[in-house]
Amino acid sequence: KRRVTTGDGTAVGYDRLVLSPGIDFHLEALPGYDEAASETMPHAWKAGAQTLLLRRQLEAMPDSGTVAIAIPANPSRCPPAPYERAGLIAHYLKTKKPRSKVLILDAKDTFSQQRLFEKAWKELYGDMIERIALSQGGRVTSVDHATRTIVTEFGNYTPDVANVIPPQRAGRIAGIAGAADATGWCPIDPVTFESKLVKNIHVIGDACLGGGIPKSAAAASAQGKACAGAIVNLLAGRAPETPRLTGVCYNIVAPGYGFSLAANYQPRGDIFAEVEGGATSPVDAPPELRAREAAEAQRWFETITADTFG
Ligand SMILES: Cc1cc2nc3c(=O)[nH]c(=O)nc-3n(C[C@H](O)[C@H](O)[C@H](O)COP(=O)(O)OP(=O)(O)OC[C@H]3O[C@@H](n4cnc5c(N)ncnc54)[C@H](O)[C@@H]3O)c2cc1C
């Protein structure tokens, strides 16, 4: 019926609807993890109460404690962010609780900007960060929040702080609208962002199945603009233009230590593929470049925040 109904019962009609509901957690894929578990083992993957809870747990942790970060397989929100978080937590521990460690339990073998991260971890934190990859049994298969136990294919862990990031899918409303498929994500036409499943609904941001384009704020912002352009053309009866999306991903591993990955994406079949023109920071770079990139990251954040929210 092309109608959106809000919680207070108000109904709004539309010609075309843009959905950008972000992510929800695919809890069936992680036995033992639910709302109650997130109160002891925070995911902190949606900002607000959860990130504050993780902060309080880190502050309360004794020196010589272990912080575990459980990382899901892709697709997931901001694939490099768990590794950035590992570095930032290590920075806090090195400063305040130097006998502690960060244990990464990973459902992946390789990850974005891996060489840059691993070099930075070694350089800045020595052996403080340990990572157990998929092929070493690092994939988390279940959790028990009563005992704060993380179960992996290799063994059980009972860290002092358990940051468990569960597998994900598109925000629930996308499923209710019929725009999510069996993967839990929303297939789209990458030229118009129109759902492959429901006509006149366009899906942007983390919720869409974007292929090579990572689920990031940079991508969501670029997709929003391209989608608006496509809708203007469609409403005017014109053919939509093929978009070329640009995104830059900054990672901060310590204050004044940053690196980046810039990339361009274009539609290829039903998804976005990376095309020429991208660049990654060099692995061997002088401290001045790391410091410059950390400052650029802050400026990027201020610009995209103002651009998005005014
Ligand atoms: C730790 C971390 C670090 C990150 N770092 C970066 C980074 O450095 N650079 C970068 O580009 N990206 C980063 N990201 C990723 C970025 O935050 C997301 O990719 C981006 O927010 C996605 O935008 P979105 O619009 O798809 O979803 P969201 O930002 O989650 O917005 C969706 C909104 O829809 C609302 N919503 C959902 N359902 C409904 C409903 N039924 N009715 C009304 N409202 C609803 C939600 O409440 C939410 O406000 C990071 C993410 C994390 C977790």
Side-chain angles (χ1 to χ4, degrees), residues 4 39 69 76 90 92-93 112 117 123 146 150 194 210 258 277 280 293:
V4 175
E39 295 302 319
I69 304 178
S76 64
Y92 168 72
L93 297 178
S112 172
F117 274 112
E123 212 170 284
I150 301 179
E194 186 167 8
T280 309
E293 294 224 77

Side-chain angles (χ1 to χ4, degrees), residues 5-151:
T5 309
T6 56
D8 65 1
T10 310
V12 183
Y14 66 83
D15 295 308
R16 289 188 176 267
L17 171 69
V18 181
L19 278 182
S20 185
I23 54 152
D24 266 318
F25 298 112
H26 190 8
L27 296 179
E28 300 79 17
L30 186 56
Y33 200 86
D34 56 15
E35 190 85 25
S38 73
E39 295 302 319
T40 25
M41 308 170 100
H43 53 75
W45 221 237
K46 293 188 184 189
Q50 276 282 304
T51 35
L52 292 172
L53 175 61
L54 178 60
R55 179 197 173 116
R56 281 198 302 276
Q57 290 189 351
L58 292 169
E59 284 169 343
M61 187 184 89
D63 194 0
S64 80
T66 297
V67 181
I69 304 178
I71 303 180
N74 285 336
S76 64
R77 160 169 285 178
C78 204
Y83 309 96
E84 179 180 55
R85 176 175 284 175
L88 292 175
I89 290 178
H91 171 74
Y92 168 72
L93 297 178
K94 187 178 164 186
T95 324
K96 305 275 186 192
K97 306 174 188 197
R99 290 184 296 139
S100 308
K101 68 178 277 188
V102 178
L103 175 67
I104 299 175
L105 300 169
D106 203 339
K108 285 179 275 192
D109 268 330
T110 56
F111 59 93
S112 172
Q113 298 152 85
Q114 184 163 354
R115 287 181 61 220
L116 282 154
F117 274 112
E118 289 178 342
K119 181 166 186 290
W121 292 343
K122 197 92 216 144
E123 212 170 284
L124 299 167
Y125 307 120
D127 295 329
M128 192 176 239
I129 300 176
E130 181 192 354
R131 173 172 174 262
I132 302 179
L134 171 68
S135 53
Q136 299 164 308
R139 188 175 76 88
V140 174
T141 51
S142 67
V143 299
D144 178 356
H145 77 93
T147 56
R148 212 187 306 107
T149 304
I150 301 179
V151 179

Side-chain angles (χ1 to χ4, degrees), residues 20-23 44-45 77-78 81 84-85 173 204-207 215-218 220 248 250 300:
S20 185
I23 54 152
W45 221 237
R77 160 169 285 178
C78 204
E84 179 180 55
R85 176 175 284 175
I173 194 70
I204 59 169
D206 289 357
K215 297 185 182 302
S216 68
V248 59
Y250 288 99
W300 169 85

Side-chain angles (χ1 to χ4, degrees), residues 151-288:
V151 179
T152 68
E153 281 161 353
F154 184 70
N156 294 1
Y157 300 87
T158 314
D160 298 274
V161 175
N163 173 205
V164 176
I165 306 166
Q168 295 149 36
R169 59 181 163 206
R172 189 163 165 265
I173 194 70
I176 293 171
D181 69 11
T183 66
W185 303 100
C186 302
I188 52 159
D189 169 355
V191 175
T192 60
F193 299 87
E194 186 167 8
S195 163
K196 292 262 184 196
L197 303 178
V198 196
K199 277 191 76 59
N200 302 308
I201 290 186
H202 300 248
V203 186
I204 59 169
D206 289 357
C208 74
L209 262 177
I213 192 164
K215 297 185 182 302
S216 68
S221 168
Q223 291 170 359
K225 287 166 184 147
C227 179
I231 289 177
V232 167
N233 280 329
L234 290 169
L235 291 177
R238 292 189 296 262
E241 288 164 22
T242 302
R244 182 182 170 93
L245 306 182
T246 296
V248 59
C249 165
Y250 288 99
N251 288 289
I252 306 290
V253 189
Y257 191 116
F259 48 80
S260 66
L261 165 71
N264 302 305
Y265 307 90
Q266 284 206 291
R268 286 266 190 290
D270 286 346
I271 53 168
F272 280 96
E274 194 173 334
V275 294
E276 77 296 334
T280 309
S281 306
V283 175
D284 292 306
E288 302 77 57

